[in-house]
Amino acid sequence: NYALAAVWLRYGECLHQFGRMSEATRAYERTCQLAPGHAQARLALCQLLLAQGLTDRAIACLEPSPLPKEEEDDSCAAQDAASVLLRRAQLLRQAGRREAFIETALLLHEAHCPPIRTAVEYAAMYSNSTYRGRTELLRELYQQRNFLRLNWLTADSGVSVDEVYNCFRELCLSLLESNRLGELQQVATEALVSPLLNREPSIAKELDFLSFHAHYRDPGQEEHTFALARLLVLKYSDHNRAWNLFGLAMNLSPVMRQNRFCLRLLYKYPDSVPLGLLNGHNALVSGTYKHALAEYVQLLGQLGEEEPLLLLCAGLSLVHMGCQKFSARRHWLMAQAMGFLGRYTTARGGHCQETLFNVGRALHQLGFPHLALNMYQRALVQPSAVPSMPEVFDLRCEIAFNMSLLYLSSGNTELASSIIAQHCII
């Protein structure tokens, strides 16, 4: 009877209670030898080893072992194995062993996420915006290829959902740091149908956004990126974060197909400020400046405040209209444009590098080089909007380049070369 694992487990617990750590450690090790799949004993042994500062041995005692065939369909055994994997992954992450952590976290991921193996299954995840729709479609696809559903962990399994989700986030971060984008996209997609993670609405929402980021990082995944962005704005239409990501996806898309999608969506959400702004930008880029101006002015009236971005965009729309070949009342359009740009300058807090540069660009485009040069010269001596990030917000290179164009147009090549050498050559 003394060879029974339960006896050694109880013996180790008693020794632990009396503070006899070394003997308790040996008792738990004996328990793990007799019952390698006993999660409680392995976790207790891990805690004892950690208390003694033996981190490597603590991690080693949680080495994953395959379940016996008779326990593969046992939900309790699967739960115990997941608990061991979760603890091992946490320790590996703390120890900075990235590759071992990724390997363990992937095993834990397989315990609670149905696998996505075919291109049809992969695409199905992005043709539905709800967890139920995705799982039902995936179940049908599993039946078509005679795939036997496994016993995945659910929210009722007793495993901490928050801890599993934190481990999943760390896994995604580690895959990104290792530049393993394909695996990152795979796990982010499979997590969308995890019965464990999708029980919590807040986590399910984060999974949608995380899946977008996983695909956005890969230039070859623009189709999935755009599909995900569309689902995000349809599902979270009141979140500016979703609209910002949709704007990023639009920049990746090589075609203008998003224009019709935005216009159709405007009938559903006529008061959406981000959607109105996107429609205005689409009209501005496509050259329909009157429609763009109408969108920007309508949004200004809707917001009831002097929004600098809207004022700038409205001014630029009028600038483009004034530069068209067959524009009527050209001077009136120019005056209106400068009026909006003046309001933009005031809304931005006065003359700064950004406002002076933008007004200078408008004057440059309208054909007032002497006024544009004055604005550029004043902007060149101004600090950037965010001094801590000059590589992003410092406009001196752009200002100097535009000034060189003005000097070249007047035939002054020496000044053009001087300004380029001073500000644009690294």
Side-chain angles (χ1 to χ4, degrees):
N1 291 335
Y2 286 100
L4 295 176
V7 176
W8 282 100
L9 176 63
R10 185 59 180 162
Y11 181 51
E13 291 173 350
C14 293
L15 292 171
H16 190 190
Q17 291 292 329
F18 282 104
R20 297 160 64 177
M21 299 301 180
S22 299
E23 296 177 67
T25 301
R26 289 193 291 272
Y28 280 123
E29 288 176 342
R30 180 59 178 161
T31 305
C32 294
Q33 291 174 1
L34 295 172
H38 199 298
Q40 182 182 354
R42 298 172 72 185
L43 291 172
L45 175 59
C46 172
Q47 289 301 113
L48 275 177
L49 293 171
L50 288 174
Q52 300 173 61
L54 304 174
T55 305
D56 291 339
R57 287 182 59 187
I59 295 175
C61 77
L62 299 178
E63 185 75 28
S65 57
L67 291 175
K69 289 186 177 181
E70 61 272 11
E71 295 183 6
E72 287 182 353
D73 296 330
D74 187 355
S75 59
C76 293
Q79 174 186 338
D80 291 343
S83 300
V84 173
L85 286 173
L86 176 60
R87 185 57 179 150
R88 176 178 168 82
Q90 292 170 342
L91 293 177
L92 288 170
R93 183 63 175 174
Q94 294 172 7
R97 295 164 58 178
R98 181 192 296 173
E99 294 302 321
F101 165 75
I102 291 176
E103 180 182 353
T104 304
L106 285 175
L107 290 175
L108 177 62
H109 176 80
E110 293 174 359
H112 67 88
C113 292
I116 308 296
R117 293 293 178 261
T118 66
V120 177
E121 293 171 356
Y122 200 91
M125 296 300 98
Y126 304 115
S127 61
N128 288 273
S129 60
T130 63
Y131 167 71
R132 175 177 293 182
R134 288 166 177 160
T135 52
E136 290 178 353
L137 185 55
L138 188 60
R139 189 180 299 113
E140 295 176 2
L141 295 174
Y142 280 170
Q143 292 175 355
Q144 293 177 10
R145 64 183 179 99
N146 297 321
F147 178 75
L148 181 62
R149 179 182 174 87
L150 300 178
N151 187 25
W152 292 298
L153 294 176
T154 64
D156 301 326
S157 61
V159 180
S160 172
V161 177
D162 290 335
E163 290 186 0
V164 172
Y165 176 61
N166 289 334
C167 182
F168 172 74
R169 289 183 59 184
E170 294 294 336
L171 169 62
C172 293
L173 182 60
S174 298
L175 290 173
L176 179 61
E177 292 172 349
S178 302
N179 201 30
R180 296 161 66 171
L181 297 181
E183 293 175 86
L184 173 61
Q185 294 157 11
Q186 184 74 24
V187 298
T189 302
E190 291 175 345
L192 296 176
V193 285
S194 167
L196 180 65
L197 298 180
N198 283 275
R199 181 65 66 89
E200 294 289 337
S202 59
I203 294 179
K205 183 177 76 171
E206 289 302 314
L207 291 176
D208 287 330
F209 285 98
L210 196 150
S211 182
F212 172 88
H213 284 290
H215 290 81
Y216 177 74
R217 296 279 183 175
D218 189 351
Q221 293 289 339
E222 61 184 29
E223 289 293 330
H224 288 301
T225 301
F226 186 74
L228 277 166
R230 289 177 53 145
L231 291 178
L232 287 177
V233 296
L234 289 172
K235 195 173 181 179
Y236 309 106
S237 59
D238 56 341
H239 286 67
N240 287 338
R241 179 183 173 191
W243 289 107
N244 290 336
L245 296 179
F246 181 72
L248 292 176
M250 287 172 59
N251 292 334
L252 291 179
S253 181
V255 295
M256 297 295 289
R257 61 183 178 181
Q258 68 273 7
N259 289 4
R260 290 178 294 175
F261 172 74
C262 292
L263 288 173
R264 289 195 303 267
L265 208 58
L266 195 60
Y267 287 101
K268 189 175 182 180
Y269 305 108
D271 298 327
S272 174
V273 174
L275 182 57
L277 190 61
L278 280 176
N279 277 309
H281 291 341
N282 286 335
L284 183 63
V285 171
S286 60
T288 52
Y289 304 121
K290 291 182 180 180
H291 295 289
L293 180 61
E295 290 287 352
Y296 297 139
V297 173
Q298 180 182 352
L299 290 174
L300 282 170
Q302 182 178 335
L303 292 175
E305 59 184 34
E306 297 284 90
E307 173 59 41
L309 177 60
L310 293 175
L311 292 169
L312 174 62
C313 291
L316 292 179
S317 299
L318 287 164
V319 167
H320 286 293
M321 291 169 63
C323 292
Q324 287 180 319
K325 186 175 182 180
F326 301 105
S327 295
R329 299 186 297 174
R330 187 186 306 271
H331 294 87
W332 179 84
L333 291 172
M334 293 181 181
Q336 288 287 323
M338 297 313 299
F340 272 103
L341 292 175
R343 291 167 61 186
Y344 153 71
T345 301
T346 303
R348 285 289 288 137
H351 294 295
C352 61
Q353 188 185 67
E354 174 202 321
T355 57
L356 290 169
F357 175 58
N358 284 327
V359 174
R361 288 174 60 200
L363 292 169
H364 194 168
Q365 184 171 343
L366 290 172
F368 300 103
H370 58 294
L371 297 177
L373 182 60
N374 176 262
M375 290 293 178
Y376 289 148
Q377 289 173 339
R378 293 168 61 186
L380 197 59
V381 298
Q382 294 288 334
S384 63
V386 183
S388 60
M389 299 179 66
E391 69 280 359
V392 177
F393 295 97
D394 194 355
L395 301 173
R396 282 180 295 178
C397 288
E398 290 80 1
I399 296 169
F401 179 75
N402 286 3
M403 290 177 65
S404 70
L405 295 179
L406 291 175
Y407 290 140
L408 286 174
S409 64
S410 65
N412 196 335
T413 56
E414 292 184 3
L415 270 179
S417 300
S418 174
I419 199 73
I420 289 291
Q422 185 176 356
H423 296 284
C424 297
I425 295 179
I426 300 176

